[in-house]
Amino acid sequence: MTAELDEARALLLSDDEPTRLRGVHRLRDDVADRARAAEALVGVLEDPGSYVPHAARAALQDLGSAAVPALVAGLRSRETVVRTGCAWALA
C-alpha cells in the first residue's frame, strides 16, 4: 500500500466534509494504483455528505477502465446508494 493511498484514506475518516472531499481528490489525483484508488472510492459512495458521494462518482469515472472491476463489484453491494453510484459511474 502506498503512502498516498494511506493518506487519502485517513482524510476520508474525518468528520469534516471538506476534508473527506480532499481525500476523494487525493484518491483521484495522487494514488498511482488506480484500481486500489477505485476500490476506496466505491466505499465513499455511502458517505452521508452532500458533495462527497457526487465527487466520488465523478472520480471513479475519471479513473476510467482501472475503476471497472471495483465498480462491477460495487453493483453487488447490499447498499442501494452504492449500487446506484456504481451504475451511474459506469454509464
Side-chain angles (χ1 to χ4, degrees), residues 7-78:
E7 290 171 13
R9 285 182 171 164
L11 292 171
L12 295 174
L13 297 175
S14 173
D15 290 334
D16 180 58
E17 186 171 17
T19 301
R20 294 192 312 274
L21 191 57
R22 282 197 342 261
V24 169
H25 294 160
R26 282 281 205 50
L27 286 168
R28 180 193 65 202
D29 299 335
D30 298 339
V31 176
D33 187 340
R34 294 168 74 83
R36 301 274 314 257
E39 291 170 5
L41 285 165
V42 167
V44 176
L45 295 172
E46 293 184 68
D47 188 278
S50 57
Y51 296 107
V52 174
H54 177 73
R57 290 189 304 264
L60 283 159
Q61 284 188 315
D62 290 343
L63 293 177
S65 62
V68 170
L71 289 167
V72 170
L75 292 173
R76 294 187 295 272
S77 173
R78 291 181 180 206

